Amino acid sequence: MKEKFQKIEEIFKILDESLIKEIIEPKISNRIRNHYDTLIQLGLKDDELISALVSVSVAESIRLSAFITVLLTNLDPNEPFDPRDFIHVVK
């Protein structure tokens, strides 16, 4: 069991460094920035603007998380898993 957790930790570290920090965070940031610009054009200010941005942030995070979850759940457990292949698909 210890080896399994070590493998999971290794895979997560690779995904965190190569996928989350390099791809997902910038994508979410860009999308939120686009939403921010739209909300400003709509005249939202102060609490309305903050509330709308929080909602957008959550929605974008869930959307990308759902995509990743679908990919992970469709991996064949009998085939070797290379995190680099997964990162390529998400890109």
Side-chain angles (χ1 to χ4, degrees):
M1 186 63 113
K2 186 177 180 179
E3 290 178 19
K4 185 175 183 177
F5 284 124
Q6 287 175 336
K7 182 66 175 172
I8 290 169
E9 186 177 329
E10 176 187 334
I11 290 170
F12 180 77
K13 184 178 179 184
I14 292 169
L15 292 175
D16 184 45
E17 292 171 358
S18 300
L19 178 65
I20 296 171
K21 291 179 183 172
E22 293 181 18
I23 299 170
I24 293 176
E25 286 179 6
K27 278 186 176 186
I28 290 174
S29 177
N30 287 337
R31 288 181 176 149
I32 291 171
R33 180 64 190 181
N34 290 338
H35 287 292
Y36 172 82
D37 292 341
T38 301
L39 295 170
I40 290 295
Q41 289 175 359
L42 293 173
L44 295 182
K45 295 180 184 176
D46 303 324
D47 288 344
E48 289 178 326
L49 178 61
I50 291 169
S51 179
L53 284 175
V54 168
S55 295
V56 165
S57 299
V58 170
E60 290 294 344
S61 296
I62 291 171
R63 190 178 71 72
L64 286 170
S65 296
F67 174 75
I68 291 169
T69 300
V70 169
L71 283 176
L72 286 174
T73 56
N74 284 292
L75 293 175
D76 184 349
N78 297 318
E79 290 184 21
F81 177 74
D82 184 351
R84 289 174 290 238
D85 293 338
F86 182 76
I87 292 166
H88 178 73
V89 170
V90 174
K91 281 183 179 179

